[in-house]
Amino acid sequence: MKKIIQRSLFLLLISLFFASLWAEEIQLTAVQILGKADDVINAPQDQDLKIKLILIDKKGKEKVREMSMLQKGSDKRLVKFLSPADQKGIAFLSLPDDVMYLYMPAFKKIRRIASHVKNTKFAGTDFTYEDMEAVRYSDKYIPEFIEKKDNHFLLQLTPKEGIKTDYAKLIMWVREDNFYITKIEHYNRGDKLFKIMIRDKIEKIGEYWLARESEMQDLKSKHTTKMIIEEVKLDSEVSDDKFTKRNLEK
Amino acid sequence: MKINYLIFMAVILLILGFSVLNAEPSIDLNGYFQTDNRMLIKDDHNFSWHEYRLDIQLEAYPSDKTHFFSEVWLRTIGKSNIQASSDLSDKEKIVSSNLYFKEAYLDIYGFLCKDLDVRIGRQRITWGTADKLNPTDNLNPDDLEDMWDFGRHLSSDGLQATYYLGDYELSAVYIPKFTPTVLPGGVWATALSPSFDLPTGLVLRNYSDQIIMPENNLKAQSIIGTKFSGNLFNYDLSVSYIYGRDYLPLINKAKFTPVDAFGTIDISAEMIFPRMHIAGFDLAGALGNIGIWAETAVFFPEEIMLSTDLSELGLGIQESVALENEPYIKYVFGGDYTFTNGIYINVQYLHGFIHECGTDSLEDYLMFGLEKKFFEDKLKIMPLNGGLEIKDFNDFKENYAVIYTPEITYYPYDNVELILGTHIIDGKESSTFGKMNDSDDLYFKAKVSF
């Protein structure tokens, strides 16, 4: 009897040991998946995009905006509004370490923006300033593997300690074949799903994957913003000088 | 007016010239049209402001390294100036209009070396990190035509060169011609005027003055400035220096002339623009999630003596100090925050308003704003906009003014804004804004951008 108990305990310990190793492997896999997803979306050395934004309200009425977006690596982004007339020239610069600037042509002034604006809507769209930042998700979030579903890895992302974000949790869908992020569900601090981002028309341009269309749905207001890439230039050796206050008002 | 139109035509021709020279012309035409009508709340609801403004902005890129920008205002402002039947045949007096050449400058990027940018022409140079009330913003004169449009400045004809070195930049500005401040008109015309303490028994009948402009040469007119900016500990910092003038005139001579034997007098005064050195410092950054800024300027004025000629009253000429050559400090600090429900708040504490000069005349102001957008940003409500003026903390009850300026903006379509608001002042007449406590108004503005 004693031997049976000893063997049972031994087997239990062995099982627990392998279970913990398996869990660690899943954790590692989630980190790897997110790392690969970050690598894929930030693969081009730089991106020079002309984007059409379509704002659709709950009645289906549409408003159109145009902007240019310049990104280098995964942490520098410059966005400039081209239309409509009352927003033309408004420019937003996102730099590492949460440094953000906004240029308002009407005031001829560059304004430093604090992180409290991150959760506010960017120029009336459903994207917030935080969504418009250039980031690597793995720098801000801890991933956890949920499951494989419909040829996608499903990850749950929770913010790392000390990270300022309004999102309590993200559920991310990553394609199995190319690690492209196709969908992100955004949860607020009350753990309620309130925004969904969907990437569509994913195509390969040269050696890089790119979603020609993205959509952000605000579930509460039933408002949607579609982001359509109309022109794209990748790896065009954009200078670091473009991501400066000097260039923000040009 | 003919000269104005000639200037306007010159700008158009300049732009067209660029387009001819440029194989692929890239000219942008933008602007807006805005109506601004205000009426007093009390009594017969007199009109206090009536402005129709067409803003035209032309922008051209003659080459990769050059950029041209110009902005003009075509306006009708005020009311018909009819006093006699003969005026009815003068269209300018019935529907007066004016053209204001706001800006026109040429940018040359990477001039002589790749890190040097130069801007030549009429330009607005915005220094300072605070919100609209900037003690270090002293290169362009204030435009106080509309007292409720805080922070509006005239542009200056000059040259600005900025050298960039990584996160740091060094600017140098040279403005050869001095331009004074535009003072408020309409019901605000007397709000910033200097006040006289008349000796007991004297009653003022007429006041007249003469402005003595700086001599028309480089030494007397020129304004120079330099600023060094950078980033330290994740805060944007800058230090600046200006050798300029106060853009508001100061009385340096006054002559009292008796009119009758009962103490009635006329005063004729002479006013000048004091020279001064101004050292400035500003910062912007964040404390936690709260955006913060601070800005200070130390003014080193030249000493201005006031010569009061009382000889016709039998009291000779008296000399006193109108402005001491002792430094005085203006400062502002503030912060802003957006709550998760979208409510935005902005608070600033200001020591020394635009027109205040000299340690003893500086007052304190607490300015605040709160705004929230509704209906997918179609409606913006600012229910708690305004400020508090404190002239004397020791006798607050007799030396304060409360300013309340709520506003509602409706955006029915892209590029269209409809604004309804009010300016309400309560306070004591000893304070700047308190003097205007009978001028509460209601306003409506419509704006379309193109």
Side-chain angles (χ1 to χ4, degrees):
Chain A
M1 187 61 187
K2 193 180 173 185
K3 275 188 179 175
I4 291 170
I5 291 169
Q6 277 178 337
R7 278 177 189 169
S8 302
L9 277 173
F10 179 73
L11 281 172
L12 186 65
L13 281 171
I14 292 289
S15 308
L16 282 171
F17 175 72
F18 279 106
S20 66
L21 275 184
W22 179 74
E24 204 169 280
E25 193 179 324
I26 294 294
Q27 175 70 20
L28 189 65
T29 304
V31 170
Q32 284 177 333
I33 293 166
L34 187 61
K36 283 178 183 287
D38 273 333
D39 290 344
V40 169
I41 56 170
N42 294 305
Q45 286 181 359
D46 54 68
Q47 303 176 43
D48 185 352
L49 312 173
K50 190 180 171 197
I51 292 168
K52 185 173 165 183
L53 291 164
I54 304 173
L55 282 58
I56 308 161
D57 71 12
K58 59 184 172 189
K59 292 177 184 168
K61 280 186 187 170
E62 294 187 358
K63 284 182 180 176
V64 178
R65 275 111 181 78
E66 285 179 304
M67 65 183 199
S68 66
M69 189 162 85
L70 211 55
Q71 181 170 332
K72 187 162 189 181
S74 59
D75 57 6
K76 290 179 179 173
R77 185 177 278 182
L78 176 71
V79 177
K80 286 186 181 181
F81 270 87
L82 308 172
S83 76
D86 62 352
Q87 292 184 12
K88 188 180 175 185
I90 294 175
F92 169 68
L93 176 65
S94 158
L95 296 172
D97 300 323
D98 265 350
V99 175
M100 294 183 288
Y101 295 98
L102 187 68
Y103 175 66
M104 305 291 282
F107 300 103
K108 297 253 167 191
K109 206 164 186 175
I110 294 171
R111 186 132 191 232
R112 177 81 181 264
I113 317 177
S115 55
H116 65 85
V117 301
K118 281 176 142 192
N119 67 331
T120 61
K121 290 185 171 187
F122 179 70
T125 69
D126 293 287
F127 293 91
T128 61
Y129 280 87
E130 181 175 358
D131 299 326
M132 296 306 293
E133 278 183 292
V135 288
R136 285 179 66 86
Y137 288 98
S138 47
D139 290 343
K140 294 179 69 179
Y141 293 94
I142 299 167
E144 199 177 316
F145 186 83
I146 301 174
E147 60 175 330
K148 273 189 191 179
K149 191 179 178 183
D150 300 334
N151 301 320
H152 282 77
F153 298 112
L154 264 68
L155 304 178
Q156 175 177 296
L157 275 56
T158 46
K160 288 182 177 175
E161 204 175 312
I163 293 293
K164 295 169 190 166
T165 175
D166 231 43
Y167 303 133
K169 182 175 85 182
L170 303 177
I171 302 292
M172 181 181 277
W173 297 57
V174 182
R175 253 168 66 166
E176 273 186 79
D177 58 342
N178 61 6
F179 293 94
Y180 203 86
I181 300 165
T182 59
K183 183 177 174 182
I184 302 176
E185 296 172 351
H186 300 72
Y187 289 77
N188 64 18
R189 286 178 186 162
D191 206 30
K192 192 175 175 186
L193 175 64
F194 74 112
K195 280 194 340 186
I196 300 175
M197 188 183 77
I198 296 167
R199 290 201 173 116
D200 201 8
K201 295 194 178 167
I202 297 162
E203 55 187 66
K204 201 160 191 185
I205 299 174
E207 54 189 292
Y208 306 118
W209 290 97
L210 191 81
R212 283 277 185 179
E213 289 188 17
S214 303
E215 184 177 296
M216 184 68 94
Q217 301 168 0
D218 185 322
L219 302 180
K220 192 179 173 190
S221 64
K222 296 190 173 73
H223 194 273
T224 301
T225 301
K226 267 191 183 177
M227 195 184 265
I228 300 167
I229 296 175
E230 294 190 315
E231 290 173 25
V232 56
K233 283 185 216 162
L234 303 174
D235 289 354
S236 50
E237 296 188 357
V238 174
S239 162
D240 281 326
D241 293 344
K242 294 281 182 188
F243 304 92
T244 57
K245 287 199 278 180
R246 179 189 190 185
N247 189 48
L248 194 58
E249 58 184 309
K250 279 183 184 171
Chain B
M1 283 306 291
K2 277 182 181 173
I3 290 168
N4 283 338
Y5 282 118
L6 283 173
I7 293 167
F8 183 62
M9 286 307 294
V11 174
I12 299 288
L13 288 171
L14 200 58
I15 296 295
L16 290 174
F18 277 132
S19 69
V20 171
L21 289 171
N22 197 351
E24 289 181 40
S26 55
I27 299 174
D28 284 342
L29 172 66
N30 293 98
Y32 63 86
F33 172 69
Q34 179 179 285
T35 70
D36 184 350
N37 291 282
R38 306 174 200 173
M39 65 172 189
L40 297 181
I41 292 174
K42 63 180 282 192
D43 299 334
D44 296 328
H45 311 298
N46 288 351
F47 292 115
S48 57
W49 194 268
H50 176 86
E51 181 185 356
Y52 286 70
R53 181 195 302 170
L54 176 63
D55 172 283
I56 299 170
Q57 297 165 27
L58 286 168
E59 202 166 9
Y61 292 87
S63 72
D64 289 348
K65 296 277 186 188
T66 52
H67 166 238
F68 173 82
F69 177 84
S70 70
E71 184 174 7
V72 291
W73 282 359
L74 282 163
R75 301 194 296 169
T76 62
I77 189 163
K79 56 186 180 181
S80 297
N81 184 23
I82 304 293
Q83 286 170 348
S85 59
S86 58
D87 292 338
L88 291 170
S89 57
D90 186 343
K91 197 171 180 181
E92 194 52 39
K93 287 190 174 176
I94 297 169
V95 279
S96 69
S97 60
N98 68 63
L99 186 142
Y100 169 43
F101 200 175
K102 204 161 181 262
E103 279 189 290
Y105 57 77
L106 173 69
D107 283 319
I108 305 173
Y109 305 127
F111 180 65
L112 298 177
C113 65
K114 75 178 181 63
D115 295 317
L116 182 67
D117 290 350
V118 174
R119 179 169 287 180
I120 307 160
R122 181 165 293 186
Q123 56 193 288
R124 171 78 179 100
I125 302 160
T126 53
W127 283 5
T129 49
D131 193 9
K132 293 186 179 176
L133 299 164
N134 302 96
T136 63
D137 191 0
N138 296 300
L139 283 166
N140 302 117
D142 295 294
D143 182 353
L144 305 175
E145 176 191 57
D146 179 4
M147 274 298 284
W148 293 113
D149 190 1
F150 292 139
R152 193 206 282 182
H153 284 67
L154 298 175
S155 298
S156 302
D157 302 331
L159 172 77
Q160 182 179 194
T162 307
Y163 184 78
Y164 298 88
L165 188 67
D167 287 340
Y168 298 92
E169 60 182 73
L170 179 67
S171 289
V173 178
Y174 176 64
I175 296 168
K177 291 278 281 180
F178 172 79
T179 310
T181 284
V182 176
L183 288 172
V187 293
W188 283 88
T190 56
L192 306 183
S193 299
S195 57
F196 263 113
D197 289 328
L198 289 175
T200 314
L202 295 183
V203 179
L204 180 65
R205 186 185 68 169
N206 286 321
Y207 169 84
S208 63
D209 57 40
Q210 184 189 3
I211 300 272
I212 307 296
M213 285 289 284
E215 283 182 50
N216 190 26
N217 58 50
L218 282 178
K219 191 182 172 190
Q221 295 251 342
S222 295
I223 293 162
I224 55 168
T226 184
K227 186 171 83 153
F228 179 70
S229 313
N231 189 288
L232 204 62
F233 305 118
N234 217 3
Y235 283 91
D236 289 345
L237 309 167
S238 76
V239 287
S240 60
Y241 165 77
I242 292 171
Y243 178 55
R245 285 185 184 276
D246 195 333
Y247 297 104
L248 284 159
L250 188 73
I251 296 173
N252 70 325
K253 284 181 186 167
K255 184 174 183 182
F256 287 47
T257 307
V259 176
D260 56 29
F262 306 107
T264 309
I265 55 158
D266 286 344
I267 295 176
S268 58
E270 193 177 285
M271 304 176 91
I272 57 168
F273 299 93
R275 265 287 189 194
M276 52 180 60
H277 301 267
I278 307 163
F281 168 78
D282 63 54
L283 71 82
L287 265 182
N289 284 339
I290 301 169
I292 59 157
W293 55 83
E295 191 175 328
T296 184
V298 188
F299 297 77
F300 301 89
E302 63 175 336
E303 185 176 74
I304 303 292
M305 298 300 292
L306 171 60
S307 170
T308 310
D309 184 352
L310 303 168
S311 51
E312 292 190 30
L313 296 171
L315 297 169
I317 295 174
Q318 295 180 5
E319 295 278 337
S320 58
V321 178
L323 181 63
E324 291 182 1
N325 62 348
E326 285 183 10
Y328 60 93
I329 301 174
K330 291 185 180 183
Y331 58 84
V332 59
F333 57 87
D336 65 352
Y337 186 75
T338 310
F339 292 93
T340 48
N341 58 7
I343 291 177
Y344 170 79
I345 56 165
N346 178 319
V347 179
Q348 295 193 105
Y349 188 87
L350 173 74
H351 180 69
F353 204 67
I354 300 159
H355 66 292
E356 293 163 5
C357 178
T359 307
D360 295 336
S361 67
L362 303 183
E363 297 183 21
D364 294 273
Y365 301 82
L366 179 70
M367 311 302 284
F368 47 83
L370 183 150
E371 69 175 57
K372 168 99 171 105
K373 290 178 178 172
F374 297 90
F375 310 121
E376 290 141 15
D377 294 356
K378 276 193 163 182
L379 188 70
K380 183 171 79 177
I381 296 181
M382 297 192 282
L384 272 180
N385 262 24
L388 175 68
E389 177 189 353
I390 307 150
K391 188 172 184 179
D392 185 356
F393 278 101
N394 296 321
D395 188 11
F396 177 80
K397 280 185 180 174
E398 295 302 318
N399 291 283
Y400 76 94
V402 179
I403 306 136
Y404 180 51
T405 57
E407 189 178 274
I408 297 173
T409 307
Y410 176 50
Y411 305 90
Y413 312 104
D414 272 351
N415 303 317
V416 176
E417 291 173 47
L418 304 173
I419 304 167
L420 183 66
T422 181
H423 302 121
I424 294 170
I425 297 172
D426 182 30
K428 300 295 177 184
E429 291 198 5
S430 57
S431 62
T432 302
F433 284 90
K435 279 179 201 160
M436 305 309 300
N437 61 13
D438 275 343
S439 305
D440 297 349
D441 67 15
L442 188 70
Y443 63 88
F444 173 74
K445 297 180 190 179
K447 184 178 177 183
V448 57
S449 303
F450 56 86

